[in-house]
Amino acid sequence: MTGDMIADLSGLSVNAGWRTFRLVVTDDVFTTELKDRLGLTDFDRGIIYVNYVQDRHGMCETLYHEILHVVLDNVGYSIEDDPIKATNEQVVMYTSRGLVTMMRLNKQLFTIITHYLHKENNYEHVPIIRGTKSGDVPGTGDGSNDDRQSKS
C-alpha cells in the first residue's frame, strides 16, 4: 500500500458476482443536488462513487455503505422498493451472507479498507488530488439521466 488511500483505491472495482462495479474516488459528481452525499451507487452504469472530501474513516464507512446497497439489491431489495419488511434475523442473514460474499470476491479492496480503518491518525483528511477531468468520469453532471442511484 502506498499510504495514499485514493491512490490505493484507484483502478479497483467491486465484484458483486452478477456485475462488476467500477470504483471511482472523486468529488466531480457531487455537485448541485448531490453536494451533500458522501457516496453514490449508479446501478445503471455499474459505478460506485466515493466522495474524497472526508477523512479516511468516513471514506471506509462510505465504501461499506455503498457496498451494502449492492448487497441488498442482490437479495431483492432494490433502491426503488418499498421499505423493507423483514425480521431482524432475515436482515442479518441477508447482509452477513452478502458481506461474506463481497469480502471473498474483493479481497484486495477489503484489505485496503481494513488497513485504513486501523491506521493511526484516521481523522486526518486524505490528500486531495485535483486533476480528474469530468470527462474521465461517466455520469458527471446533474444526475438526471441516472434511473437508479442510491440515496446516500
Side-chain angles (χ1 to χ4, degrees), residues 7-8 15-16 23 28 35 40-41 43 60 64 70 84 89 94 104 117 136-137:
D8 288 340
N15 180 351
L23 180 60
D28 285 350
K35 69 180 179 192
L40 175 76
T41 300
F43 286 89
C60 292
Y64 272 112
V70 175
I84 296 173
E89 188 61 30
Y94 295 147
R104 292 183 72 191
L117 278 174
D136 294 343
V137 182

Side-chain angles (χ1 to χ4, degrees), residues 63-147:
L63 269 169
Y64 272 112
H65 179 102
E66 296 307 320
I67 288 168
L68 280 173
H69 279 299
V70 175
V71 165
L72 290 175
D73 191 80
N74 282 350
V75 296
Y77 295 119
S78 73
I79 301 296
E80 295 131 358
D81 285 344
D82 291 329
I84 296 173
K85 293 180 181 151
T87 66
N88 180 286
E89 188 61 30
Q90 288 170 317
V91 172
V92 169
M93 182 182 66
Y94 295 147
T95 55
S96 64
R97 287 180 181 174
L99 279 176
V100 168
T101 299
M102 296 298 270
M103 292 169 106
R104 292 183 72 191
L105 292 173
N106 300 281
K107 184 176 180 181
Q108 182 182 11
L109 175 63
F110 282 93
T111 299
I112 291 169
I113 293 170
T114 301
H115 170 78
Y116 284 102
L117 278 174
H118 295 287
K119 189 175 171 87
E120 298 269 338
N121 299 323
N122 261 334
Y123 299 101
E124 172 185 313
H125 278 70
V126 295
I128 294 178
I129 300 172
R130 297 286 178 193
T132 303
K133 294 181 246 133
S134 293
D136 294 343
V137 182
T140 56
D142 66 1
S144 61
N145 295 328
D146 301 342
D147 297 326

Side-chain angles (χ1 to χ4, degrees), residues 18-71:
W18 61 277
R19 179 177 197 161
T20 299
F21 289 81
R22 191 162 53 102
L23 180 60
V24 176
V25 181
T26 184
D27 72 343
D28 285 350
V29 295
F30 299 98
T31 57
T32 62
E33 77 275 2
L34 304 178
K35 69 180 179 192
D36 295 327
R37 290 191 183 176
L38 299 176
L40 175 76
T41 300
D42 186 331
F43 286 89
D44 292 329
R45 292 187 178 102
I47 302 171
I48 293 176
Y49 297 102
V50 176
N51 191 337
Y52 63 64
V53 186
Q54 54 186 316
D55 62 30
R56 289 183 186 102
H57 247 163
M59 286 182 66
C60 292
E61 192 276 333
T62 297
L63 269 169
Y64 272 112
H65 179 102
E66 296 307 320
I67 288 168
L68 280 173
H69 279 299
V70 175
V71 165

